[in-house]
Amino acid sequence: MSQQVTVTEHILLHQKMVPGATGQFTRLFNELVLSAKIIGRAVNKAGLVDILGFTGDINVQGEEVKKLDEYANRILIHRLARSGVLCAMASEENADIIEVPESLPRGEYIIVFDPLDGSSNIDVNVNIGTIFSIFKRKSDPAAALMSSDVLQKGSEQVAAGYVLYGSSTMLVFTCGDGVHGFTLDPSVGEFLLSHPNIRIPEQGKIYSVNEGYERYWDRHTKQVLAYFKSPQNALRKPYSGRYIGSLVADFHRNLLYGGIFMYPADLRDPKKPTGKLRLLCECNPMSFIVEQAGGLAIDGLNRVLDIEPDHLHQRIPFFCGSRNDVRVVQEIYESESRRKKNR
Ligand code: AFP
C-alpha cells in the first residue's frame, strides 16, 4: 500500500541505494519536512491569527514583504541552519548568501529556497508554496566558501522540490530518480506517498501565462500564444488557459494534467527585461522536477539546467512543461533567432 510510506521512509530507502551515503541528506530533508509542517500550520490558520498583511519592509526584489513570507523565511533559516549538514543557504528574501555560523556544526550541502512563493495570493486564501533546490559545495570544505559554490548550474542539483499549501499540503520532490509526491495527513502529522513516480503527459492541453501583459512581449512570444489558442495547433483546438499566479500551483496542475507554464521577458518593465522568475530559487528546481517527470524547461532557446548563473537573484524568461508544448516554443524562438541572424 503506497499510501503508508512516509517521506522519511522513502528517503531512508533512497539513502540505502546510494553507495557511501552518510545520512546527511536525510537529516537535511527531515528539517525541511518539519519546516514545511510548521509553515503549513501557519498558512492554515492565516485568517485567524495576526499573520496576514505586510511587515512594512521591502525585500531585495523591491517587493513589500508579507508577514507570512517573513515567518516562513525565518522558520527555514532557523531550522535548516541547525541541521548540521549545510554550509550555506540562499533565500529569495535575502540579498546575500547566508553562511551557517561557525558556532553551529556545518556540512557540505547548500540549499536555495523561495520560502513562500505566490505571496500576492496569501491574503486571499489561494494556493502558495515553498520551493527548494539542494547542491553540494564544490570548493574545499576547509577553505572559505566561494560564491561559485552557490552559483552552480541547475544540472548540478542533487535534489529539488516544492511544498504546495493547497486544499491539502503536498511535498513533491526529486533526488534525480523520478518525481514523487507526498500528501500531509494532518491526523497523523506525516507526509504519505500519494503520487509515486509522477510523469507529465507528453502533450499538454493547458497554457498558463499572465496574458494581461501580452502587449509587452516580443513578436515571437506573441506567436507562441497564438499557437496555443489556435485550432490549427497539435490539439486541433485551442488549449485551456489556466493561471493562478503562484508558480507552485500552476506548475503542479500542469505536471499532473499536462501543459505549459510561461513567464516570458517583459519589454515594458525595466525590472523584468529578462522575465520575472528567479533562476536559482524558482526556475532551476522546477526545471529539474519537470525533466525528471519527462518534460522540458527552457528560457526560449536554451535548456534552463545548463544556464551558468551570474548572480544570486538572476531572472530568466521561463517556459516549462509538457515536452511537445515546450518544443513548439523552442522552434518558434529558434526560427526568430535565425531570422534575426539573416537580416
Ligand atoms: P509573488 O510571490 O510576488 O506573488 O510572485 C509570484 C511569482 O514569482 C510566481 O509564483 C508567479 O508565477 C509569478 O510571480 C506571477 O507573476 P505575475 O503576477 O506578474 O503574473
Side-chain angles (χ1 to χ4, degrees):
M1 282 261 291
S2 69
Q3 288 200 338
Q4 285 171 341
V5 176
T6 68
V7 68
T8 314
E9 280 172 324
H10 181 91
I11 293 289
L12 283 169
L13 211 73
H14 171 85
Q15 182 190 320
K16 273 197 196 136
M17 293 186 299
V18 180
T22 58
Q24 290 212 1
F25 182 79
T26 309
R27 286 191 61 183
L28 173 56
F29 222 82
N30 282 341
E31 288 300 342
L32 255 177
V33 166
L34 180 56
S35 308
K37 288 181 194 169
I38 297 172
I39 298 167
R41 183 184 57 189
V43 170
N44 285 158
K45 288 199 291 194
L48 302 171
V49 292
D50 181 28
I51 202 156
L52 293 180
F54 297 97
T55 62
D57 295 328
I58 302 290
N59 72 7
V60 55
Q61 320 288 343
E63 301 155 349
E64 287 184 288
V65 178
K66 293 264 168 119
K67 287 185 195 166
L68 252 179
D69 246 341
E70 205 262 336
Y71 176 78
N73 200 34
R74 232 174 339 111
I75 294 292
L76 282 163
I77 294 173
H78 179 86
R79 292 238 59 93
L80 295 172
R82 280 152 188 80
S83 66
V85 303
L86 286 176
C87 53
M89 297 174 264
S91 163
E92 194 229 359
E93 296 296 325
N94 294 62
D96 301 314
I97 295 169
I98 309 157
E99 284 202 46
V100 173
E102 275 175 27
S103 54
L104 294 173
R106 295 185 188 189
E108 286 180 41
Y109 284 101
I110 292 163
I111 189 164
V112 181
F113 53 82
D114 184 347
L116 217 47
D117 185 68
S119 19
S120 55
N121 282 322
I122 290 177
D123 293 355
V124 288
N125 212 349
V126 172
N127 299 2
I128 46 183
T130 298
I131 311 176
F132 59 89
S133 159
I134 299 172
F135 294 89
K136 266 193 159 176
R137 82 179 278 174
K138 293 211 152 154
S139 62
D140 178 0
L145 186 85
M146 295 165 61
S147 62
S148 55
D149 286 317
V150 180
L151 300 180
Q152 296 188 43
K153 282 193 298 189
S155 56
E156 309 282 352
Q157 292 171 101
V158 295
Y162 58 82
V163 184
L164 171 64
Y165 310 104
S167 47
S168 53
T169 300
M170 268 197 85
L171 169 63
V172 176
F173 67 90
T174 182
C175 297
D177 61 347
V179 180
H180 308 287
F182 296 79
T183 303
L184 181 65
D185 180 339
S187 63
V188 290
E190 288 281 6
F191 280 99
L192 302 176
L193 183 60
S194 51
H195 296 65
N197 203 18
I198 299 172
R199 303 295 297 168
I200 185 167
E202 199 169 334
Q203 173 64 54
K205 43 184 191 248
I206 294 171
Y207 73 89
S208 316
V209 69
N210 191 337
E211 212 170 326
Y213 300 150
E214 185 187 1
R215 66 165 55 234
Y216 306 118
W217 299 342
D218 45 31
R219 219 174 61 100
H220 44 294
T221 309
K222 288 181 182 163
Q223 222 177 305
V224 164
L225 184 68
Y227 169 85
F228 289 119
K229 292 167 79 168
S230 155
Q232 269 82 52
N233 60 27
L235 285 185
R236 300 273 151 224
K237 59 176 190 183
Y239 284 48
S240 287
R242 295 278 185 276
Y243 191 70
I244 296 168
S246 285
L247 172 64
V248 174
D250 281 309
F251 178 92
H252 185 71
R253 183 205 47 243
N254 292 356
L255 182 68
L256 298 185
Y257 289 169
I260 183 163
F261 175 90
M262 306 185 274
Y263 208 110
D266 183 332
L267 304 178
R268 163 208 57 161
D269 190 338
K271 278 194 337 212
K272 300 185 238 164
T274 52
K276 178 184 180 190
L277 301 192
R278 274 88 10 164
L279 172 60
L280 290 178
C281 63
E282 294 175 309
C283 306
N284 270 343
M286 294 320 205
S287 302
F288 190 20
I289 297 167
V290 85
E291 283 200 6
Q292 282 292 315
L296 294 172
I298 58 169
D299 68 353
L301 289 169
N302 312 297
R303 179 183 181 226
V304 171
L305 296 182
D306 288 335
I307 299 174
E308 291 277 3
D310 51 36
H311 63 275
L312 206 53
H313 296 284
Q314 181 174 349
R315 297 170 194 256
I316 58 162
F318 189 49
F319 303 86
C320 142
S322 292
R323 185 166 280 270
N324 293 354
D325 301 333
V326 177
R327 283 239 189 278
V328 167
V329 176
Q330 198 168 25
E331 277 160 25
I332 293 175
Y333 269 65
E334 277 170 357
S335 106
E336 173 69 8
S337 136
R338 279 194 301 273
R339 196 184 67 86
K340 277 189 182 147
K341 271 190 206 136
N342 294 335
R343 264 205 306 222

